[in-house]
Amino acid sequence: MSLTTDYRPQNWSHVIGQDSVVEVLKNSIVNKQLANAYLFVGIRGTGKTTCARLLAKSLDCKQLAEDGEPCGQCESCVAITKGNSLDVKEIDMATNRGIDDVRAIQESVQYAATGGRYRIVICDEAHQMTPQAASALLKVLEEPPKNVKFILCTTEL
């Protein structure tokens, strides 16, 4: 594992330099005012993927704290931390950038969540998608199933 993943914050209180983002996300979780999709944009190393994983943990945590912090100990939190949650799919769009890859995403989100409340798709490096793949993903983003949340992380708005 790399240093990035070894020392990645595992709860909102450990995220540094993104106070306003953390506050907005935690408030939306606590108040149950959730969007179907989120777009995290910033330069390399600003915590886009970290915030995406924390958002996924908070959305599927079975013992969520009153302030929106994931417990880190329930089955969902542990699986997301280890990267083996069936409900959270993290896709590197730099290598899975074609329309067939997006069709696989479209197919996988049709199923109900197995352990958490939501199926969550994290599209890392979303700017790397082909134009055709982006168009196909847009269709799913416009009319997503109820139980699905998308998080797109990119360095290019």
Side-chain angles (χ1 to χ4, degrees):
M1 278 193 144
S2 69
L3 288 175
T4 310
T5 51
D6 284 347
Y7 296 102
R8 177 170 274 153
Q10 296 302 316
N11 57 44
W12 293 115
S13 62
H14 291 152
V15 175
I16 298 171
Q18 299 295 340
D19 297 339
S20 59
V21 172
V22 168
E23 184 178 345
V24 168
L25 291 172
K26 284 175 65 174
N27 284 338
S28 70
I29 293 162
V30 168
N31 295 320
K32 294 180 176 43
Q33 296 179 337
L34 303 171
N36 293 330
Y38 295 86
L39 177 63
F40 296 160
V41 181
I43 60 171
R44 185 174 163 260
T46 55
K48 299 175 295 293
T49 306
T50 296
C51 286
R53 289 181 179 183
L54 284 171
L55 179 57
K57 281 173 77 171
S58 294
L59 291 173
D60 274 354
C61 181
K62 291 182 175 29
Q63 301 169 1
L64 189 67
E66 286 182 19
D67 67 349
E69 283 283 352
C71 72
Q73 298 175 352
C74 70
E75 186 179 324
S76 290
C77 286
V78 171
I80 293 168
T81 300
K82 288 182 178 178
N84 59 12
S85 172
L86 296 176
D87 293 331
V88 178
K89 184 172 186 133
E90 186 173 339
I91 303 161
D92 177 13
M93 299 308 285
T95 54
N96 302 293
R97 58 192 302 251
I99 193 159
D100 290 335
D101 300 307
V102 172
R103 285 188 181 135
I105 294 169
Q106 289 173 326
E107 190 174 307
S108 72
V109 298
Q110 299 304 318
Y111 301 105
T114 57
R117 283 177 279 231
Y118 300 101
R119 291 191 60 90
I120 301 161
V121 179
I122 300 172
C123 296
D124 203 7
E125 303 296 333
H127 63 278
Q128 296 282 352
M129 277 187 280
T130 65
Q132 296 82 3
S135 293
L137 184 61
L138 183 60
K139 183 174 181 186
V140 179
L141 292 174
E142 289 174 340
E143 299 172 9
K146 278 194 218 178
N147 65 326
V148 177
K149 303 294 181 196
F150 287 92
I151 307 169
L152 287 78
C153 303
T154 180
T155 55
E156 298 177 19
L157 185 57

